[in-house]
Amino acid sequence: MDIVSDPAVMQRAALEARRLGRRIALVPTMGNLHEGHLALIREARRRADLLAVSIFVNPTQFGPNEDLGRYPRTPEADLAACRREGVDWVFTPSAESMYGIQAAVWVEVEGLGKKLCGRSRPIHFRGVATVVLKLFNVCQPHVAVFGWKDAQQFLLLRRMVEGLNVPVEMVGVETVREPDGLALSSRNRYLAPEERKQAVELSRALREAQAAAESGRATTGAELVEIVRKRIERVASARIDYVEAVSMRDLEPIGAIEPGATLLALAAFFGTTRLIDNARL
Ligand code: PAF
């Protein structure tokens, strides 16, 4: 396994591999790898000859009052996990080498980036789209793998790829959950024990709404939202940021549920920890 921190070195190696006809997969991460990331890595491993995992806590996707400083960094454990999974390249750039003098060049996916999480995190998706396009240019993947846990991120990046004719196949992998249903996230470790217990209600609320849709008891987006809100509002330590039922095409709120194209998404705070989760219907 090669650990590469210089973008120019990484790009040269990737271009050379391409010249030799090798197929490259990329899993972009911010490190602190957990089973959710490992599911992405395993999916990517199956899809290519060479597998790159990037580990970069991208400063441009954090707002001024967000958790950039305390975001968990576990480089040794991450490298050990990558080794175990048969990763070929771990790309670990510094912020200076990624942005240097170019920080004023941004990729903005208008519309999608300002909805749902974009409302309370106004610069977040501009930072995500910019860094992912840069990672694509550096690592030259044929295929890139992301988690449906960050559904808005995945839909927005897919739109970026379509809109800018980026020749990368985009693959989404289902959310990996704790046995009680809580979606895995690096931010779960911020939760106090009581908050952790109560956070399980997010996935239970989504499941209840999903079951109501499947049985025909809920037929509209508003009914789905009502089911989820009611359940989370009963949780003492939770403060809802948003609950929305939207179309996966444009992230606009839906009237009637559109089977196969509906995203029920939420964000809620437990203390200062903001968690997200979603269900696709
Ligand atoms: O999902 C993440 O971990 C990040 O947003 C990503 C895609 C690695 C970009 O920094």
Side-chain angles (χ1 to χ4, degrees):
M1 183 175 86
D2 289 337
I3 301 164
V4 185
S5 54
D6 183 336
V9 172
M10 180 70 237
Q11 192 181 50
R12 266 201 304 278
L15 285 169
E16 177 60 10
R18 269 188 171 253
R19 199 183 62 78
L20 296 171
R22 316 294 300 279
R23 182 173 163 83
I24 302 172
L26 172 67
V27 180
T29 81
M30 298 207 299
N32 189 232
L33 303 181
H34 51 60
E35 281 297 324
H37 298 108
L38 299 188
L40 310 184
I41 289 173
R42 288 169 192 154
E43 181 63 37
R45 182 67 283 173
R46 281 193 286 277
R47 288 173 176 266
D49 307 313
L50 289 169
L51 170 55
V53 171
S54 61
I55 298 180
F56 178 55
V57 182
N58 172 37
T60 65
Q61 68 190 73
F62 288 80
N65 299 317
E66 293 181 357
D67 56 344
L68 173 62
R70 68 171 182 142
Y71 194 84
R73 290 160 170 87
T74 51
E76 293 312 318
D78 293 348
L79 291 179
C82 287
R83 232 173 241 119
R84 280 195 303 275
E85 297 299 328
V87 172
D88 297 289
W89 289 305
V90 180
F91 177 50
T92 57
S94 64
E96 297 70 42
S97 68
M98 281 299 272
Y99 289 108
I101 53 164
Q102 308 163 41
V105 180
W106 299 112
V107 178
E108 189 108 39
V109 183
E110 284 185 3
L112 298 192
K114 298 292 180 217
K115 296 177 181 153
L116 304 180
C117 289
R119 270 198 274 279
S120 51
R121 307 188 72 191
I123 62 160
H124 175 68
F125 289 108
R126 179 186 79 168
V128 169
T130 302
V131 81
V132 168
L133 188 60
K134 286 170 76 69
L135 291 168
F136 284 179
N137 286 334
V138 171
C139 299
Q140 296 284 315
H142 296 80
V143 55
V145 181
F146 297 86
W148 272 110
K149 155 78 169 30
D150 298 300
Q152 181 176 13
Q153 168 172 283
F154 183 56
L155 293 169
L156 175 136
L157 290 172
R158 230 168 43 180
R159 180 66 57 80
M160 173 190 83
V161 158
E162 281 162 24
L164 295 178
N165 305 89
V166 182
V168 174
E169 182 193 346
M170 299 288 283
V171 173
V173 169
E174 288 306 328
T175 303
V176 179
R177 296 178 181 279
E178 298 281 6
D180 66 1
L182 179 68
L184 293 196
S185 161
S186 297
R187 292 186 167 104
N188 291 351
R189 61 162 58 194
Y190 301 152
L191 297 168
E194 193 48 36
E195 292 169 345
R196 165 64 188 85
K197 259 191 232 152
Q198 296 184 12
V200 67
E201 284 301 318
L202 301 183
S203 58
R204 289 195 181 143
L206 290 169
R207 273 215 310 275
E208 186 181 330
Q210 211 162 10
E214 278 159 18
S215 68
R217 274 181 296 118
T219 56
T220 66
E223 286 164 343
L224 295 176
V225 169
E226 175 67 10
I227 292 169
V228 174
R229 276 195 167 273
K230 247 198 185 144
R231 184 148 188 165
I232 301 176
E233 277 164 3
R234 288 204 301 261
V235 178
S237 60
R239 180 168 58 82
I240 293 174
D241 180 3
Y242 69 80
V243 180
E244 289 193 45
V246 295
S247 159
M248 282 205 265
R249 277 183 291 278
D250 54 11
L251 301 184
E252 283 293 334
I254 49 161
I257 295 168
E258 302 169 26
T262 296
L263 177 71
L264 179 58
L266 63 80
F269 285 95
F270 289 79
T272 55
T273 306
R274 185 174 177 279
L275 300 182
I276 60 171
D277 201 351
N278 68 78
R280 302 196 313 285
L281 293 89

